[in-house]
Amino acid sequence: MTKLTRRGLLSAGAALPVAGLTAGAVHAEAPKLGQSFAQHRRFMIGDFEVTTILGGTTPREDPQSIFGMNVSEDEFAEVSRQNFLSTDASQFFFTPTLINTGAELILFDTGLNSEATLGALASAGYNADQVDIVVLTHMHGDHIGGMMTEGAPTFANARYVTGQVEYDHWAAAENEGFDANVRPMAEMMTFLGDGDDVVSGITGMAAFGHTPGHMVYRIESAGQGLAIFADLANHPVWSLARPDWEVRFDADKEQAAVSRPNVLGMIAADRIPAIGYHMPFPAVGYVDTGNDDAEFRWVPEAGQLMG
Ligand SMILES: [Zn+2]
């Protein structure tokens, strides 16, 4: 048996032909290409093919003006430090999800605008005309922003599904975004209550608070489960791990602080993978119960879904 020692490696190197050592000198320097990020991630849940697509990402300053509004600056800083997060800026991700059931292609939320969403959709191998059903988890601008392209429906062949409570709230709210992007689809829209199915195996669950009728979705196919928790928690540390921290974007902060542990507790107990619209891309992971400090823990998927 040959033992590889440092000396052995050095002498092996020394035995290389001289041309091999100097070959690098004839190469041009590779150009720097700037940051890059894959725009989709696909995996199977039972017989369903699930794809997350990156509809956008943007930095935001002063994260405590958004998360942990009800905790001290010191506590926010300490939790951030423990998790290698800056208190000066944070990165936001926007992640629509596609599920191909084999019978229909279903898109959950439409992103900030159709251009970015269609770009990510194309990178994943789809075009807008293939989408059969658009599900809206709730009606904030970063979820309904891709519904229209230059005044026409982006997903020309789609019908729409959303929560009844959510629709009714915005329909009465005189909201510009809703009136431009959602109201024109009313004729093609069906409405869910808590526990109703989009299609067999995809069930809506009331998780109110972030908005008056915000819903999350429970997926079951061939014995495997998945949760799509949308904006139930908008950051893995500052919201998911600390569900009682107030979030500026939650319309009813008390109700959101009740819905968060309810749904996260279910996902943790069932040990199923989950997709969160604002989790760091590809936005796929697991939720574990936490410890003394944190009530829950976001565990990014680490290859478990590649089998
Ligand atoms: Zn959102």
Side-chain angles (χ1 to χ4, degrees):
M1 192 175 105
T2 312
K3 236 176 150 183
L4 271 181
T5 60
R6 185 159 178 273
R7 178 188 289 261
L9 288 170
L10 285 172
S11 60
L16 284 173
V18 172
L21 287 174
T22 55
V26 303
H27 286 291
E29 259 178 45
K32 290 179 180 168
L33 299 176
Q35 292 192 28
S36 74
F37 224 82
Q39 282 196 295
H40 76 275
R41 169 75 201 279
R42 185 154 40 237
F43 55 91
M44 298 298 292
I45 294 293
D47 296 329
F48 291 176
E49 202 171 61
V50 180
T51 308
T52 60
I53 59 171
L54 182 61
T57 176
T58 185
R60 293 290 291 263
E61 287 178 1
D62 189 12
Q64 204 184 355
S65 70
I66 301 169
F67 300 104
M69 297 168 74
N70 56 336
V71 302
S72 71
E73 217 173 299
D74 284 352
E75 185 179 351
F76 188 84
E78 178 55 18
V79 167
S80 301
R81 194 194 64 78
Q82 286 167 2
N83 289 279
F84 302 89
L85 292 166
S86 165
T87 55
D88 297 331
S90 65
Q91 192 69 24
F92 273 60
F93 298 85
F94 305 86
T95 309
T97 294
L98 289 150
I99 296 183
N100 186 350
T101 65
E104 57 274 297
L105 184 64
I106 304 172
L107 174 66
F108 292 78
D109 293 329
T110 66
L112 296 151
N113 58 70
S114 64
E115 193 187 359
T117 299
L118 292 179
L121 200 74
S123 90
Y126 302 107
N127 65 65
D129 292 346
Q130 292 176 302
V131 174
D132 299 298
I133 302 173
V134 174
V135 176
L136 296 174
T137 62
H138 66 295
M139 299 188 183
H140 278 162
D142 56 320
H143 298 255
I144 64 172
M147 294 281 281
M148 293 289 222
T149 303
E150 290 168 8
T154 305
F155 306 99
N157 300 317
R159 62 184 181 86
Y160 301 84
V161 177
T162 195
Q164 182 79 61
V165 174
E166 184 70 0
Y167 185 91
D168 290 348
H169 168 79
W170 294 100
E174 293 187 22
N175 177 273
E176 213 177 299
F178 174 90
D179 290 344
N181 291 304
V182 181
R183 199 185 292 279
M185 316 304 192
E187 297 284 288
M188 295 172 281
M189 202 165 274
T190 52
F191 302 99
L192 304 180
D194 186 27
D196 289 344
D197 285 352
V198 178
V199 297
S200 178
I202 301 181
T203 306
M205 294 172 54
F208 301 164
H210 179 68
T211 57
H214 176 270
M215 289 182 84
V216 299
Y217 289 86
R218 174 77 192 228
I219 318 299
E220 295 282 350
S221 175
Q224 291 185 30
L226 170 76
I228 295 178
F229 66 76
D231 283 26
L232 180 84
N234 285 351
H235 191 277
V237 172
W238 294 321
S239 184
L240 185 146
R242 285 165 171 78
D244 53 344
W245 279 22
E246 280 184 10
V247 181
R248 192 172 86 212
F249 305 134
D250 290 344
D252 184 333
K253 292 171 179 50
E254 273 178 39
Q255 197 176 23
V258 172
S259 290
R260 254 192 298 279
N262 278 350
V263 175
L264 294 174
M266 174 203 82
I267 297 169
D270 291 351
R271 297 181 68 81
I272 55 172
I275 296 169
Y277 191 82
H278 296 291
M279 294 299 107
F281 196 75
V284 186
Y286 297 85
V287 177
D288 196 6
T289 47
N291 49 37
D292 291 345
D293 284 340
E295 197 168 338
F296 294 101
R297 186 168 67 101
W298 176 246
V299 183
E301 192 269 350
Q304 297 95 328
L305 297 172
M306 293 176 76

